Every structure is written in structure tokens, then in C-alpha cells.
Amino acid sequence: MGKTVVEKIIQAHTRDEARAGRIVWMDLDIRSARDFGGPNVVKHYEREYGDELLADRTKTFFTFDLCAPACTLRYADNQQACRDFALKHGIKVYDVDQGIGTHVLMEEGLAQPNSTVAGTDSHMNILGAMGSFGQGMGDVDMTFAFRTGRTWFEVPETTRVIIKGALKKPASAKDLTLFLLKELGTKRLALKAAEFYGQAAAGLSLAGRLTLCSLITEMAGIVGFVPEYNDAARKEIERFTGAPFSPFVADEDAPYAETIEINVQGLSPQVAAPPSPANVKPVADLRGVRINSGFIGSCTNGRTEDLAGAARILKGRKVKAGVMLKVVPATRRVYQELLARGILRDLFESGAIIVNPGCGGCAEGHVGLTGKGEVQISTGNRNFAGKQGKGETYLASPAVVAASCVLGQIASPEDL
Amino acid sequence: MEKTTLRGRIWVLLDRSGKLIEDIDTDQIYHNAFLHITEVSEMGKYALGNLEGWKDFPAKAAPGDILVAGRNFGAGSSRQQAVDCFISLKVGAILAPSFASIYFRNAVNSGLPVLKSPRIERLAEGGELESGDELEVDFLSGQALNVSKNMSFAVEPMSTVQKEIFRAGNLFAFGRSSNRKA
Ligand code: SF4
């Protein structure tokens, strides 16, 4: 019997037989910890292993992105504890100036196609966008991985999702993703890997793939892949990996748990209303909901293409008086590209607040929280009660967030 | 022969309408307001502290008690504290139709028995598993017996890895005792 993409990647990292349902010992090419989870890893490591060496310091990293630079004393202490540990063990820190860890690992060529990458980030699986098996893990797992370079893993079954129809403007990768989340809910992909096929998936840019793969976590899935790459996406990935790109594809007779077809022909912009990311409706149903603030960024929509798309709408327009729009590029490299292309200027002149790279808008990040009664529209991936403060969060594409901030209410770019 | 059974009183996490609560997330299990606590012994008093109807669980729980929960238990963040708070209370095991993947790993790695049983939803909602019942589970064979009601059912036996880590105590102890890591 053939193998699915995830089975092939795991098989390349284990001596056991990698078949769905089996538990294998898997080598991890990259082990990372963030300013969340990282300090616990340091603590466990020192208690359990003392001065023992890491399995491989060149494959072990810290990435600080949640609260960067630290805006609470707790984060400041935690980051420093990681820096001290890193210095002692000779490992590299991607510090608070660098941006979102998963994106940095990709840009730096550390996450490679067909590689295995683990870290203390439940959205580590976003690396599926470039054919890498990323996986979020707890701090005990990561401590063990720092020391041994391996972990145990139950090989997941794979569900094949065939997306029918073409994506047409103004619908974007985020609208596609939100719509899939609505259709698939939190049960269909639970504990499974997904492979997305069809023109609308294969046509996605790297940024679009990252958007799609970042919401697998919200679908309760393990990881998502889009095994067909268009030339532009392939080139973008090769720019980071520095090597010709040959990601694994599934065998023709690979076993799937299920094949699901979803039609997206004629899809309009979508919004996820609080309190759950799967509570997705067309913009038309929510048009007119007043907003107080907007957020453009996150691992889901923080790439150059995402911010450029928002800037195209905001250029020559103004964010409505009283509405606070926060823009956070995913990484320093993205920031630099935006700077070079004059996009930051367009955003600035529209009235947006431009923040340094990082996660920012999630949890208690460095761009601030929402207050009770505040309504926010965000390009992030979670809108659970209390996640970004006490306000209510709607999730949408960069274009919808930009248009909504101009009008002061939930709107589609076509409403301008 | 090594002991392969767990025995304890069960708590069935039902909502007001008598349904087994699904998708209990890590904020409901252990709220992020207490993430700064690093002593496991102090975490118990916050267990289920944000789950409607179950906030008094730490006061009611006794060592060895077994939790019965709905599908996708432990959804959300990767925080280890959501497991450690039950270890702090010496909870004997957690049974659910399914667990969120990171939560399941965290529990296994910390030596907290987490057992999957697709059938318990029907049993709990049908009154065949009730809070206070005495349960005996053989985690090797997957045989479970509700001693109070003399009713038996199946759970998925522990995998080899899970069993080995559980026997060693936790992932670190397992790593030291096995040549696996070499
Ligand atoms: S942007 Fe938010 S969801 Fe994404 S990695 Fe950062 S904290 Fe997590």
C-alpha cells in the first residue's frame, strides 16, 4: 500500500514502519521553544539533565515572538532565562527583533521541505505550507527533544479535501480558509492530517498556503499540506530553502480516512464571528456591525503580500476617525520588504499604527489587548472569549479588515 | 505480576442537560491567569476552575478519582499545567472518547493515564456511568468494569509507548531507563 504525505515525511525520520495509527520514534530536524514554554523547558532541562549537552545545538533554537519586546516583567524574566541558557549551551536565539518563530524558521532555511520541526507553538503546523511537518508540543516534550533530538508520535490518518471551483476576487486565501473551517468544523479533521487538492488550493501563493495551513489547528487537525505547488509558490519557497524544491507527494494508492469535496465557486468574503473561529458567515450577514479597532498581522496573515493587499485598499483613504488599526508584519524580513516598497508609508498615511514584527495581537502580546465592550476585526486565527482581552473579535482577510477600518463597520472591499 | 489496573471513584463531567461536556479547553481546565505558578502541588486548587458547574471539583476530588469527559478533551493551548493540575490532585485517570493531540501527549509524558473509549458517551448519558460509581480499568487489556453497577465495557488499551512511560513515571524517567534515546 502507498503512503500519504505525512506518512512519507515521518518514514524518512524513523526506523519504525510509519503507517497511520502506529506510534513511532521520530527524529526531529529542528527543535525550538518560544518565550511561551521556553522558560519551562529551561527549568525542566536544568532539573532533569543539569549540565548534560543538548543532542545538537545547531538544530536547537529559541524564538521570541509572543511579547516582543517584553511588555510585562514576567516575559522579560522568561526571555532572559532562555537567553542565559542559550549562551551556556551555545544555541542561537532569534530574539525579540526577529518576528514570528515559525516564519523565521522558514525564512532562515531551517525548516526545509520534508523535514520535521517541533516547538512550543500550537501553530507550528503552519510549516505544512512548504511541505514541512511542523508540530506544536508541550514543554516536557520539548525538553526531551532538546536533549535527545527525538520524540514519539502517533502517525495520523489523512483526510483528502478536494476543493472545487476557482477563487475569484475579492475572495482571498483567508476567505477560502474561513469557509473551509465552516464546512469542516472542528470534528471532520480532528487528529488527522489533511491534503488539499484542486485549483483553488494549488493556485495559492506561499502567503495563501500559510493562511490555509495555519487554521488546521482551529479545525483540530494535526497538519495540512497542499501537495501541488504552482511555479510562483515554488520559487518563493526556494528563495528561503536555497535548494531546488522537491516535496513528497502522496502515492496513488495511499490510504485516506475520507475524501471530502467542497465547492468554493463564487465564494464571497467571509467573517468568523465570536466566540469561535468556525462561526463563519458571509460579510453580507454582518455588514454594519460597528468596530472600534482592527488588527492586520499574525502567523495567519502577516506576510508582505497580506499587508500589501491591505495597503492597496488603504492607499489614498483614511482609517475612520476613532478606529484604531494596528499593523504587525510577521517578521523583520517582511518589514524590510514593506519598507522598500513604500507600503509602510501608505499604511502610515492612512492612519494605521505600525508595530514591530512578532505575534503581537494574540494573547497578551505587545500591541495591547481589547477592553470590555471593544469590537475588533482581526486577520488572526482565534476569537475565543478572553483570548485577546475582554472585547469581541471577528476574524477576516486583510482586505476586509482594511475596508472595515475605513468605514468603521464590518464591510467588504467592494463597499468602498 | 505488575499491577495493570486502576481503580477509583468516577466523576462524570456532565452539563446541566445531562450531556457529557465536549471540547473542554485548557483555559477551562487551568486558566491562563495562573500560568505563572510553577509548583505542581499548588496547581490542584485551580483544576477545572473555569468549567461551568465544576468549579468546586478540587474540593470534592480525592486521590485516585477518575474523570470521565466528552470528546476532544484538552483542546486549545499546549500548556502543561492543564495536566499537572490533575497530577497535583492525584487524579487516577481521565477517560474520554478522544483527546486533543497536544493534551494527550502532555498527559502521557507526565505519567497521567489518559484512556480513550468511544463508548463512554453513550454510557454516561444513559446513566450507566454516574458520578460516585466505582470503576476498575485494566489499561493493558482495555477491560473496564463499573463495579457499582456490575457493567463492563471496553477502553482502548494503552499503547506500548504510553505504558512504558507510565511505568517509568514520566518521559524523563523513561528516557533514562531506556536505550531508546541513544
Ligand atoms: S500569531 Fe498568534 S496564533 Fe500565530 S504563532 Fe503567534 S501567538 Fe500563535
Side-chain angles (χ1 to χ4, degrees):
Chain A
M1 208 191 332
K3 282 187 156 58
T4 62
V5 172
V6 75
E7 285 175 334
K8 285 192 177 180
I9 297 177
I10 295 176
Q11 189 64 78
H13 292 81
T14 183
R15 274 173 286 168
D16 305 330
E17 165 76 7
R19 281 261 167 245
R22 299 251 180 112
I23 295 178
V24 302
W25 282 90
M26 176 171 87
D27 294 329
L28 294 169
D29 297 320
I30 300 293
R31 301 68 94 152
S32 78
R34 314 161 73 192
D35 42 354
F36 165 81
N40 308 56
V41 170
V42 168
K43 218 174 140 190
H44 292 316
Y45 198 97
E46 294 190 327
R47 186 191 65 236
E48 297 291 331
Y49 302 123
D51 289 335
E52 290 176 41
L53 293 180
L54 302 168
D56 187 339
R57 64 184 187 85
T58 65
K59 295 181 172 179
T60 312
F61 303 92
F62 285 106
T63 61
F64 298 159
D65 51 16
L66 258 173
C67 197
C71 54
T72 68
L73 189 56
R74 191 147 50 83
Y75 270 108
D77 285 345
N78 285 344
Q79 289 167 358
Q80 193 53 37
C82 294
R83 288 186 194 108
D84 292 343
F85 180 88
L87 193 65
K88 174 172 162 189
H89 288 271
I91 65 182
K92 186 161 172 61
V93 178
Y94 289 96
D95 217 306
V96 295
D97 57 338
Q98 293 299 314
I100 302 176
T102 45
H103 287 242
V104 171
L105 294 176
M106 173 182 78
E107 290 175 353
E108 291 290 307
L110 292 167
Q112 287 280 335
N114 308 332
S115 67
T116 51
V117 183
T120 57
D121 175 358
S122 59
H123 288 93
M124 212 71 200
N125 51 8
I126 194 172
L127 294 168
M130 51 166 300
S132 169
F133 179 32
Q135 203 54 203
M137 292 187 185
D139 46 59
V140 169
D141 252 325
M142 286 320 305
T143 309
F144 187 78
F146 271 33
R147 177 66 188 90
T148 67
R150 7 179 30 202
T151 193
W152 59 275
F153 205 83
E154 179 173 344
V155 182
E157 287 187 300
T158 298
T159 290
R160 183 164 47 179
V161 182
I162 299 171
I163 305 172
K164 299 254 171 180
L167 205 55
K168 288 229 177 62
K169 281 202 168 146
S172 68
K174 183 63 166 289
D175 302 302
L176 169 72
T177 305
L178 290 174
F179 185 71
L180 292 178
L181 182 48
K182 174 185 177 179
E183 294 294 306
L184 296 167
T186 58
K187 292 189 182 167
R188 299 279 300 266
L189 293 188
L191 304 178
K192 299 208 167 51
E195 292 176 10
F196 296 96
Y197 295 96
Q199 187 194 336
L204 293 173
S205 63
L206 176 59
R209 290 166 160 270
L210 288 162
T211 303
L212 172 56
C213 294
S214 76
L215 274 113
I216 301 298
T217 300
E218 281 58 46
M219 301 178 196
I222 298 287
V223 63
F225 299 103
V226 188
E228 296 164 349
Y229 293 77
N230 58 58
D231 287 344
R234 200 173 269 277
K235 276 215 192 77
E236 277 185 273
I237 295 169
E238 283 174 353
R239 185 161 70 107
F240 298 140
T241 60
F245 179 59
S246 50
F248 287 138
V249 291
D251 291 324
E252 253 168 55
D253 57 344
Y256 291 99
E258 195 184 0
T259 296
I260 301 172
E261 288 191 5
I262 295 177
N263 192 340
V264 299
Q265 191 66 40
L267 185 72
S268 66
Q270 307 284 309
V271 175
S276 111
N279 187 19
V280 174
K281 302 169 180 179
V283 167
D285 291 11
L286 294 164
R287 193 176 267 123
V289 171
R290 300 222 158 266
I291 56 153
N292 305 102
S293 53
F295 172 82
I296 300 176
S298 86
C299 58
T300 297
N301 277 124
R303 301 301 302 170
T304 305
E305 179 187 317
D306 296 314
L307 274 58
R312 265 197 302 280
I313 290 166
L314 292 167
K315 187 170 180 164
R317 295 196 170 96
K318 290 275 181 226
V319 169
K320 193 174 173 81
V323 172
M324 295 296 123
L325 170 60
K326 308 167 210 174
V327 177
V328 187
T331 65
R332 196 171 171 84
R333 181 191 287 248
V334 167
Y335 197 105
Q336 207 260 322
E337 285 171 4
L338 296 168
L339 198 61
R341 289 170 52 183
I343 293 166
L344 290 183
R345 182 183 196 108
D346 295 339
L347 291 168
F348 178 82
E349 286 179 348
S350 76
I353 308 165
I354 299 163
V355 183
N356 64 299
C359 292
C362 293
E364 45 182 11
H366 53 280
V367 311
L369 297 165
T370 55
K372 201 172 164 127
E374 181 173 343
V375 178
Q376 169 187 241
I377 185 160
S378 161
T379 65
N381 50 46
R382 284 181 175 167
N383 59 354
F384 303 119
K387 183 81 189 159
Q388 288 112 3
K390 294 209 161 134
E392 295 199 323
T393 296
Y394 290 82
L395 305 175
S397 70
V400 168
V401 173
S404 303
C405 286
V406 169
L407 294 173
Q409 47 181 273
I410 293 179
S412 162
E414 294 159 302
D415 298 335
L416 292 171
Chain B
M1 265 296 282
E2 196 179 343
K3 193 168 153 265
T4 63
T5 54
L6 302 161
R7 190 177 169 133
R9 177 178 62 159
I10 57 173
W11 293 100
V12 184
L13 299 181
L14 298 174
D15 64 16
R16 276 203 209 91
S17 67
K19 282 196 128 6
L20 206 51
I21 310 174
E22 299 185 343
D23 301 312
I24 296 177
D25 70 36
T26 50
D27 263 321
Q28 292 171 305
I29 298 171
Y30 189 91
H31 196 264
N32 63 42
F34 308 112
L35 286 181
H36 58 276
I37 297 172
T38 53
E39 273 310 312
V40 172
S41 61
E42 284 168 31
M43 294 175 191
K45 55 178 171 286
Y46 304 109
L48 301 183
N50 206 24
L51 182 65
E52 218 36 68
W54 288 91
K55 298 183 179 173
D56 57 347
F57 177 72
K60 299 192 297 198
D65 284 358
I66 295 172
L67 275 182
V68 176
R71 67 169 283 285
N72 197 25
F73 185 79
S77 96
S78 59
R79 72 189 61 150
Q80 197 82 38
Q81 287 95 329
V83 168
D84 290 344
C85 63
F86 294 125
I87 291 179
S88 163
L89 292 175
K90 301 197 169 59
V91 163
I94 305 177
L95 268 64
S98 66
F99 294 83
S101 104
I102 300 179
Y103 190 86
F104 189 80
R105 299 183 60 83
N106 287 346
V108 169
N109 290 339
S110 293
L112 174 67
V114 273
L115 299 164
K116 299 177 212 170
S117 172
R119 283 199 59 205
I120 59 167
E121 193 172 288
R122 237 180 315 137
L123 296 174
E125 293 175 6
E128 294 187 76
L129 283 174
E130 288 180 290
S131 288
D133 287 356
E134 192 73 14
L135 189 72
E136 199 173 277
V137 194
D138 185 324
F139 56 80
L140 267 197
S141 69
Q143 267 295 327
L145 175 70
N146 182 344
V147 181
S148 309
K149 295 193 163 58
N150 196 22
M151 184 272 305
S152 58
F153 62 100
V155 304
E156 284 180 24
M158 279 191 186
S159 67
T160 309
V161 171
Q162 187 180 2
K163 201 171 57 205
E164 287 174 354
I165 295 172
F166 175 66
R167 282 190 170 149
N170 60 34
L171 182 64
F172 300 124
F174 165 78
R176 273 190 291 271
S177 69
S178 99
N179 50 13
R180 274 287 194 177
K181 76 176 188 185

